[in-house]
Structures are given as structure tokens and as C-alpha cells.
Amino acid sequence: MIRFDGKHILITGASSGIGAGIARELATRHANLYLTGRDRDRLEKVCEECMGAGAASASCFIVDMASEESISAFSRSFSAPALDVLILNAGISQRSTAFETDPSVDRAIMETDFFGPVLLTKGLVGLIKRQEHCSIAVTTSISGLFGFPLRSSYCAAKHALFGFFESLELENRNIRVTFLIPGRVNTPISKSALDGKGGKHGVMDDGQA
Ligand SMILES: NC(=O)c1ccc[n+]([C@@H]2O[C@H](COP(=O)([O-])OP(=O)(O)OC[C@H]3O[C@@H](n4cnc5c(N)ncnc54)[C@H](OP(=O)(O)O)[C@@H]3O)[C@@H](O)[C@H]2O)c1
């Protein structure tokens, strides 16, 4: 079993679903956790749960992964003794056909699901370069492996993550990249998924449930 005790681990999208689940699990392995998301209440609750579950430390940060400004402000101010593991998990889904999706929505999904992880990784380059070993885990999706109806931009963003982070690994001897490729997991992701006009889908889909 991989040991995580005392490791310094940053997780994006830790306020809900898979990210919160990973945080709780790593807390039982006594890691130092840096949790990010946008919803302060949910994030703080996960943080408290992690402390209760045995985390060496847990702190939370509001970071909007769709905003270059927010990511850059966080990256500049973030300090930790180390960054052993970076888990790029935050993401937003889609529920509309390609032709029904406004181009602004295509871009919004790419901002959160592709540019956000890229910008955050670049913003943390100082910490990453200082590490003898840094593991980067990227949550893509089974939709990152092939096309899927009503997910054109989501699929595109998830595909793009493979290209960027495989290249990053090849360029840096100290970086090890792992792709997390979930199928359907019961989380609220279909509720926050964007429709063609940028509104929330707002429904727990049968497949998700
Ligand atoms: N559930 C599935 O079936 C499934 C399948 C394949 C892949 N995935 C991937 O797994 C990852 C986690 O999804 P999930 O299923 O756990 O969904 P979730 O419960 O909706 O969680 C999504 C997380 O991403 C965060 N997030 C979304 N937009 C953000 C933004 N602009 N800035 C910062 N944080 C943002 C959310 O934080 P706030 O709510 O605090 O904003 C939340 O913590 C995503 O990358 C998703 O694409 C999920």
C-alpha cells in the first residue's frame, strides 16, 4: 500500500463528490491536506471531517478553476513545506448537443476542465520543481477516451488533459502523472452540468443516480 502519512497533498474540487471522497480517504492515511473549491460551507465541512478522520492537517482555500485571476492569486499566496501530490479533480459537465451549445459554454467548460488544471500546475511550478518526486493525479473521465452524446466540450476538455499532462510528465523527470478515469459515479455532477445556454442542468440523471 502506498504510504501517505505526512505527505502534503493538494486536491481541487474537494468540496463534493469524488474530490471529497479522496480527501476523506487520504485523511485516514494521515496526510496534510490542502482542499480547494468554491463553496466555502461544503469545503469547510469536508475539512472538519478530514481532521476528525485523522488528517495530519487540513486547510481549505476558495479557488475558482474557471478564473485565471483566482488561480493566479491562489498560486502566488499558497505556501506549504512540500507538494508531494497534486490532485486536479475539479470539473463541470455538460448536457446539450454540440449544435445547441453556445460557444461561450464550450469555452466555459474548457476553462474549468482544461485550462484550470493547466494554469494551476503552472502556477505551482516553484513548489513542484523543488520536489524530488511530485505525483500529479488528473481526473479525466471515460468521456476523455471517446465521444459521448451531449458531452462534446466536456469530452474535448477531458481528452485534452491526456495530451497536456502526458507531455508534462515526459518533460520532467520528477513528475509522475496518473490519470483517474471514472465511469459513472453517484455525485451531484449532473446537477451542476451546463446546458446549452450556460444554465445549470439541475437534475440528478438516472445514470448518475
Ligand atoms: N461523477 C461521475 O460520474 C464522473 C465521471 C467521470 C469523471 N468525473 C470527474 O470527476 C471530477 C469530480 O466530479 P464529481 O463527480 O465529484 O462532481 P461534483 O460532486 O459535482 O464535484 C465537482 C467538484 O468540482 C468543483 N468545481 C466545479 N467547478 C469549479 C470551479 N469553477 N472552480 C473550482 N471548483 C470547481 C466543485 O466545487 P464547488 O462546488 O465548491 O464549486 C466540486 O468540488 C470532475 O472532474 C468530473 O468531470 C466524474
Side-chain angles (χ1 to χ4, degrees), residues 128-157:
I128 293 171
K129 289 245 177 190
R130 236 180 288 146
Q131 290 290 130
E132 192 180 342
H133 300 290
C134 181
S135 290
I136 302 182
V138 187
T139 309
T140 70
S141 168
I142 200 157
S143 303
L145 302 179
F146 43 76
F148 197 85
L150 308 181
R151 307 279 196 283
S152 52
S153 299
Y154 180 72
C155 283

Side-chain angles (χ1 to χ4, degrees), residues 38-83:
R38 288 173 304 182
D39 187 306
R40 186 176 296 280
D41 290 346
R42 278 193 275 111
L43 201 53
E44 284 178 352
K45 188 164 177 287
V46 175
C47 219
E48 277 169 30
E49 288 168 2
C50 286
M51 284 311 289
S57 70
S59 42
C60 55
F61 305 86
I62 303 301
V63 185
D64 182 353
M65 293 296 282
S67 158
E68 187 168 352
E69 206 181 343
S70 174
I71 294 169
S72 158
F74 168 72
S75 306
R76 279 197 308 270
S77 65
F78 181 67
S79 76
L83 184 60

Side-chain angles (χ1 to χ4, degrees), residues 7-59:
K7 298 286 185 200
H8 294 266
I9 302 178
L10 192 158
I11 307 172
T12 72
S15 56
S16 175
I18 294 172
I22 294 173
R24 290 187 197 103
E25 174 62 28
L26 291 174
T28 67
R29 314 268 202 101
H30 316 302
N32 294 286
L33 297 171
Y34 307 90
L35 308 179
T36 80
R38 288 173 304 182
D39 187 306
R40 186 176 296 280
D41 290 346
R42 278 193 275 111
L43 201 53
E44 284 178 352
K45 188 164 177 287
V46 175
C47 219
E48 277 169 30
E49 288 168 2
C50 286
M51 284 311 289
S57 70
S59 42

